[in-house]
Amino acid sequence: MAGVNALRWLTLTRHGESTGNLAYQAVLGTDAEEVDIPERDADVPLSDTGRAQAAALGRWLEALPEDERPTTVITSPYVRAHDTARIALAETSFAVPRIRVDERIRDREQGVLQGLTPRGVRTRYPGEAERLRQLGKFYHRPPGGESWADLALRLRSFYRDLETGAPGGRALVVAHDAIIVMTRYLVEELTEQEVMRIEKEPVANASVTRWRHDGTGLAPVCYNDCAHLATAAVPPPTARR
């Protein structure tokens, strides 16, 4: 893909565990139609575990060879992503530019379906559930929201600007699971069917996905790698919120 292929290294990480992630886990297997998240999506904070994961990510960055360390750091404006970047970089001793915020790598907008479980969508918006079945996840755009194809459009713009601002650089992007999946779609020139198969595997919090320039373009190095999180000092369950 033109844009990202001008980078030497591209590293993406999902934000650490958030209180919203915990709320979703709490309703799994229940009859709940919606998830109890009091904040707007942009303001959902990290959990205690998420902060520990962000610190472990920072220790991983610190241990990278000098020629792999990020020269550019860009984060989603959402609190859980920005705080992950901030906590991680606080664990490093090398100099990096200030964290840049870019709204084009925010999470996917789900419109009227925001906060609903699959059961809630079927019950409250049966017409949308049927449209989703007919169109498929890649092209279905809920009212007020975005399709996965819409994500590709804003990401193409983001990566074109990244090329201009950091040619030959090493970029660290801290964002969301959908952004990571759709970056694979763009960089690796996947089909709709291929990327939707990949999407079925959850992208872990604070996991690492990387590409390295091999002389002809960006080549995959790892996807959804969590090995560095073994060092995370995870607090006991009673400390989570």
Side-chain angles (χ1 to χ4, degrees), residues 114-131:
Q114 181 68 38
L116 296 182
T117 65
R119 180 187 181 92
V121 173
R122 292 191 300 270
T123 301
R124 301 184 188 186
Y125 296 96
E128 285 307 308
E130 177 60 18
R131 286 184 66 240

mmCIF file of all heavy atoms in Angstrom, residues 114-131:
data_model
loop_
_atom_site.group_PDB
_atom_site.id
_atom_site.type_symbol
_atom_site.label_atom_id
_atom_site.label_comp_id
_atom_site.label_asym_id
_atom_site.label_seq_id
_atom_site.Cartn_x
_atom_site.Cartn_y
_atom_site.Cartn_z
ATOM 1 N N GLN A 114 -24.321 1.198 19.444
ATOM 2 C CA GLN A 114 -23.288 1.347 20.464
ATOM 3 C C GLN A 114 -23.770 0.802 21.814
ATOM 4 O O GLN A 114 -24.845 1.156 22.299
ATOM 5 C CB GLN A 114 -22.915 2.827 20.622
ATOM 6 C CG GLN A 114 -21.832 3.101 21.654
ATOM 7 C CD GLN A 114 -20.477 2.547 21.222
ATOM 8 O OE1 GLN A 114 -20.134 2.612 20.044
ATOM 9 N NE2 GLN A 114 -19.721 2.042 22.157
ATOM 10 N N GLY A 115 -22.976 -0.059 22.409
ATOM 11 C CA GLY A 115 -23.265 -0.569 23.742
ATOM 12 C C GLY A 115 -24.243 -1.729 23.789
ATOM 13 O O GLY A 115 -24.521 -2.254 24.872
ATOM 14 N N LEU A 116 -24.764 -2.149 22.630
ATOM 15 C CA LEU A 116 -25.714 -3.254 22.623
ATOM 16 C C LEU A 116 -24.996 -4.586 22.441
ATOM 17 O O LEU A 116 -23.992 -4.679 21.738
ATOM 18 C CB LEU A 116 -26.734 -3.080 21.500
ATOM 19 C CG LEU A 116 -27.661 -1.871 21.576
ATOM 20 C CD1 LEU A 116 -28.637 -1.892 20.413
ATOM 21 C CD2 LEU A 116 -28.408 -1.821 22.904
ATOM 22 N N THR A 117 -25.527 -5.617 23.051
ATOM 23 C CA THR A 117 -25.051 -6.973 22.825
ATOM 24 C C THR A 117 -25.691 -7.488 21.530
ATOM 25 O O THR A 117 -26.653 -6.894 21.017
ATOM 26 C CB THR A 117 -25.455 -7.888 23.985
ATOM 27 O OG1 THR A 117 -26.887 -7.979 24.008
ATOM 28 C CG2 THR A 117 -24.955 -7.337 25.323
ATOM 29 N N PRO A 118 -25.200 -8.601 20.969
ATOM 30 C CA PRO A 118 -25.876 -9.176 19.793
ATOM 31 C C PRO A 118 -27.364 -9.418 20.042
ATOM 32 O O PRO A 118 -28.203 -9.195 19.167
ATOM 33 C CB PRO A 118 -25.108 -10.475 19.558
ATOM 34 C CG PRO A 118 -23.722 -10.174 20.062
ATOM 35 C CD PRO A 118 -23.932 -9.306 21.273
ATOM 36 N N ARG A 119 -27.703 -9.862 21.245
ATOM 37 C CA ARG A 119 -29.124 -10.065 21.589
ATOM 38 C C ARG A 119 -29.874 -8.739 21.562
ATOM 39 O O ARG A 119 -31.005 -8.662 21.066
ATOM 40 C CB ARG A 119 -29.237 -10.711 22.973
ATOM 41 C CG ARG A 119 -30.682 -10.960 23.426
ATOM 42 C CD ARG A 119 -30.720 -11.452 24.878
ATOM 43 N NE ARG A 119 -32.079 -11.713 25.318
ATOM 44 C CZ ARG A 119 -32.678 -12.888 25.240
ATOM 45 N NH1 ARG A 119 -32.023 -13.920 24.741
ATOM 46 N NH2 ARG A 119 -33.918 -13.052 25.651
ATOM 47 N N GLY A 120 -29.233 -7.708 22.073
ATOM 48 C CA GLY A 120 -29.862 -6.392 22.086
ATOM 49 C C GLY A 120 -30.116 -5.862 20.683
ATOM 50 O O GLY A 120 -31.147 -5.234 20.421
ATOM 51 N N VAL A 121 -29.169 -6.109 19.774
ATOM 52 C CA VAL A 121 -29.354 -5.678 18.380
ATOM 53 C C VAL A 121 -30.539 -6.398 17.764
ATOM 54 O O VAL A 121 -31.402 -5.782 17.114
ATOM 55 C CB VAL A 121 -28.074 -5.937 17.556
ATOM 56 C CG1 VAL A 121 -28.330 -5.638 16.077
ATOM 57 C CG2 VAL A 121 -26.917 -5.088 18.072
ATOM 58 N N ARG A 122 -30.616 -7.709 17.966
ATOM 59 C CA ARG A 122 -31.723 -8.483 17.378
ATOM 60 C C ARG A 122 -33.071 -8.059 17.940
ATOM 61 O O ARG A 122 -34.080 -8.020 17.222
ATOM 62 C CB ARG A 122 -31.492 -9.978 17.624
ATOM 63 C CG ARG A 122 -30.304 -10.573 16.878
ATOM 64 C CD ARG A 122 -30.324 -12.089 16.964
ATOM 65 N NE ARG A 122 -30.259 -12.576 18.337
ATOM 66 C CZ ARG A 122 -29.135 -12.850 18.993
ATOM 67 N NH1 ARG A 122 -27.963 -12.658 18.391
ATOM 68 N NH2 ARG A 122 -29.161 -13.302 20.228
ATOM 69 N N THR A 123 -33.104 -7.725 19.226
ATOM 70 C CA THR A 123 -34.361 -7.386 19.886
ATOM 71 C C THR A 123 -34.813 -5.966 19.563
ATOM 72 O O THR A 123 -35.979 -5.727 19.257
ATOM 73 C CB THR A 123 -34.214 -7.550 21.408
ATOM 74 O OG1 THR A 123 -33.850 -8.895 21.702
ATOM 75 C CG2 THR A 123 -35.509 -7.198 22.119
ATOM 76 N N ARG A 124 -33.880 -5.020 19.614
ATOM 77 C CA ARG A 124 -34.256 -3.607 19.477
ATOM 78 C C ARG A 124 -34.194 -3.100 18.037
ATOM 79 O O ARG A 124 -34.886 -2.144 17.693
ATOM 80 C CB ARG A 124 -33.349 -2.760 20.370
ATOM 81 C CG ARG A 124 -33.425 -3.152 21.838
ATOM 82 C CD ARG A 124 -32.590 -2.239 22.696
ATOM 83 N NE ARG A 124 -32.503 -2.722 24.075
ATOM 84 C CZ ARG A 124 -31.918 -2.053 25.064
ATOM 85 N NH1 ARG A 124 -31.378 -0.856 24.826
ATOM 86 N NH2 ARG A 124 -31.880 -2.561 26.283
ATOM 87 N N TYR A 125 -33.336 -3.701 17.233
ATOM 88 C CA TYR A 125 -33.193 -3.266 15.838
ATOM 89 C C TYR A 125 -33.192 -4.483 14.911
ATOM 90 O O TYR A 125 -32.201 -4.774 14.242
ATOM 91 C CB TYR A 125 -31.898 -2.471 15.652
ATOM 92 C CG TYR A 125 -31.856 -1.186 16.430
ATOM 93 C CD1 TYR A 125 -31.228 -1.125 17.673
ATOM 94 C CD2 TYR A 125 -32.441 -0.025 15.922
ATOM 95 C CE1 TYR A 125 -31.187 0.060 18.394
ATOM 96 C CE2 TYR A 125 -32.406 1.165 16.632
ATOM 97 C CZ TYR A 125 -31.785 1.199 17.868
ATOM 98 O OH TYR A 125 -31.733 2.380 18.570
ATOM 99 N N PRO A 126 -34.315 -5.196 14.852
ATOM 100 C CA PRO A 126 -34.355 -6.408 14.016
ATOM 101 C C PRO A 126 -34.075 -6.117 12.549
ATOM 102 O O PRO A 126 -33.494 -6.958 11.845
ATOM 103 C CB PRO A 126 -35.770 -6.954 14.235
ATOM 104 C CG PRO A 126 -36.565 -5.775 14.730
ATOM 105 C CD PRO A 126 -35.609 -4.961 15.528
ATOM 106 N N GLY A 127 -34.479 -4.921 12.074
ATOM 107 C CA GLY A 127 -34.197 -4.564 10.684
ATOM 108 C C GLY A 127 -32.712 -4.447 10.425
ATOM 109 O O GLY A 127 -32.219 -4.870 9.362
ATOM 110 N N GLU A 128 -31.974 -3.892 11.381
ATOM 111 C CA GLU A 128 -30.519 -3.776 11.230
ATOM 112 C C GLU A 128 -29.856 -5.139 11.317
ATOM 113 O O GLU A 128 -28.873 -5.406 10.618
ATOM 114 C CB GLU A 128 -29.938 -2.839 12.296
ATOM 115 C CG GLU A 128 -30.185 -1.371 12.045
ATOM 116 C CD GLU A 128 -29.737 -0.948 10.660
ATOM 117 O OE1 GLU A 128 -28.581 -1.225 10.278
ATOM 118 O OE2 GLU A 128 -30.550 -0.330 9.943
ATOM 119 N N ALA A 129 -30.368 -5.996 12.179
ATOM 120 C CA ALA A 129 -29.822 -7.359 12.272
ATOM 121 C C ALA A 129 -29.980 -8.082 10.930
ATOM 122 O O ALA A 129 -29.075 -8.807 10.486
ATOM 123 C CB ALA A 129 -30.526 -8.125 13.387
ATOM 124 N N GLU A 130 -31.113 -7.856 10.251
ATOM 125 C CA GLU A 130 -31.323 -8.487 8.953
ATOM 126 C C GLU A 130 -30.423 -7.861 7.892
ATOM 127 O O GLU A 130 -29.869 -8.569 7.037
ATOM 128 C CB GLU A 130 -32.799 -8.347 8.546
ATOM 129 C CG GLU A 130 -33.139 -8.903 7.168
ATOM 130 C CD GLU A 130 -32.848 -10.382 7.006
ATOM 131 O OE1 GLU A 130 -32.708 -11.088 8.031
ATOM 132 O OE2 GLU A 130 -32.757 -10.842 5.847
ATOM 133 N N ARG A 131 -30.247 -6.536 7.927
ATOM 134 C CA ARG A 131 -29.343 -5.879 6.974
ATOM 135 C C ARG A 131 -27.912 -6.382 7.160
ATOM 136 O O ARG A 131 -27.184 -6.605 6.186
ATOM 137 C CB ARG A 131 -29.378 -4.361 7.153
ATOM 138 C CG ARG A 131 -30.630 -3.689 6.634
ATOM 139 C CD ARG A 131 -30.547 -2.188 6.766
ATOM 140 N NE ARG A 131 -29.499 -1.660 5.906
ATOM 141 C CZ ARG A 131 -28.439 -0.973 6.328
ATOM 142 N NH1 ARG A 131 -28.261 -0.742 7.623
ATOM 143 N NH2 ARG A 131 -27.550 -0.516 5.476
#
